[in-house]
Amino acid sequence: MSENGGGGGDPRVSARPRTVSVAALLCGLQGVVVAGLGAVLLALAVFGDAEDLTQAVTGALTVLVLAALPLAAGHGLWRLRRWSRGPAVVMQLLALPVAFTLLGSGRLWPLAAVGLGVSAVAVLACLVNPTATAALGVGPREA
């Protein structure tokens, strides 16, 4: 098994392409934002006036656990791990309807929706780039 996590990475690619770096950083940023949201929800559940404390804490902990997905994908992309592309793409595809839903919300949520939507499209564009797929060892295999 290779050092790159079981067959990922093209040996002809010596450095991480900019597209993979951008995708990794955006995934990491998304994970940090979701973790921050989870921490705020947890603080509000514990110190606020939650109607159902168990439900509020469970919701906050769920958001914190969900933050691990983009963080792990971003870390894997940064290290050029082949496995990381799939979770990163799935997370971005799931983020698009969330961003669309947030557009109809009040306060600052539409601004968050634009940030989430733009970052999701940017990550997807980076990950389908031929240099990114070659660096991650994804694509047609040579016979």
Side-chain angles (χ1 to χ4, degrees), residues 47-143:
F47 301 114
D49 191 20
E51 204 170 289
D52 184 359
L53 182 62
T54 304
Q55 185 177 4
V57 170
T58 302
L61 292 176
T62 301
V63 171
L64 284 170
V65 169
L66 288 175
L69 295 172
L71 288 170
H75 179 69
L77 288 171
W78 189 260
R79 299 197 59 200
L80 293 177
R81 300 294 193 242
R82 181 179 183 166
W83 62 263
S84 61
R85 185 174 181 263
V89 168
V90 169
M91 289 300 302
Q92 304 318 308
L93 291 174
L94 291 173
L96 290 173
V98 171
F100 183 75
T101 302
L102 288 176
L103 276 175
S105 302
R107 299 187 183 163
L108 293 176
W109 290 114
L111 183 61
V114 170
L116 178 60
V118 168
S119 68
V121 169
V123 171
L124 288 170
C126 286
L127 292 179
V128 299
N129 185 290
T131 59
T133 57
L136 294 169
V138 180
R141 302 208 172 150
E142 297 176 15

